[in-house]
């Protein structure tokens, strides 16, 4: 679905300023103009697709490598999530 929203849920609150470092990239390199926001408890991040949607036939990545918890810790598991728009 080219207009898919994503909600990323974390176990611990994340540092608010690190949300700006979350990047959605087409083909793993071209940054998309997705809107990223969080809710009050800072345990969930919402990603809204670009206004023209994600282009079909391309893989996309959500790079979370710069997201940090309130304690300053990086994510323990996979930092990049891939999806494909058929």
């Amino acid at each position: 679905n080219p207009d898919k929203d994503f909600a990323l849920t974390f176990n611990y609150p994340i540092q608010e300023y690190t949300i700006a470092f979350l990047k959605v990239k087409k083909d793993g390199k071209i940054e998309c103009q997705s809107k990223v926001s969080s809710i009050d408890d800072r345990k969930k991040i919402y990603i809204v697709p670009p206004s023209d949607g994600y282009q079909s036939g391309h893989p996309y990545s959500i790079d979370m490598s710069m997201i940090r918890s309130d304690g300053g810790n990086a994510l323990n598991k996979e930092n990049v999530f891939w999806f494909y728009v058929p």
Side-chain angles (χ1 to χ4, degrees):
N1 179 355
D3 297 317
K4 171 122 176 95
D5 292 349
F6 289 94
L8 308 173
T9 304
F10 301 90
N11 293 329
Y12 300 99
I14 57 171
Q15 293 178 358
E16 187 75 29
Y17 80 93
T18 65
I19 294 170
F21 298 120
L22 188 143
K23 303 296 181 203
V24 179
K25 299 176 183 178
K26 182 175 81 172
D27 299 322
K29 56 188 170 193
I30 303 168
E31 192 172 326
C32 297
Q33 298 301 311
S34 299
K35 182 179 177 186
V36 178
S37 62
S38 70
I39 59 174
D40 292 337
D41 71 359
R42 293 179 290 123
K43 289 185 180 181
K44 190 171 276 192
I45 296 176
Y46 293 100
I47 302 171
V48 178
S51 58
D52 57 347
Y54 298 111
Q55 293 180 358
S56 63
H58 291 275
Y60 287 84
S61 63
I62 300 173
D63 183 352
M64 300 175 285
S65 61
M66 297 301 292
I67 298 294
R68 300 289 185 262
S69 71
D70 269 351
N73 299 317
L75 301 175
N76 289 337
K77 306 252 176 172
E78 186 66 36
N79 291 329
V80 179
F81 171 76
W82 287 89
F83 63 97
Y84 181 79
V85 180

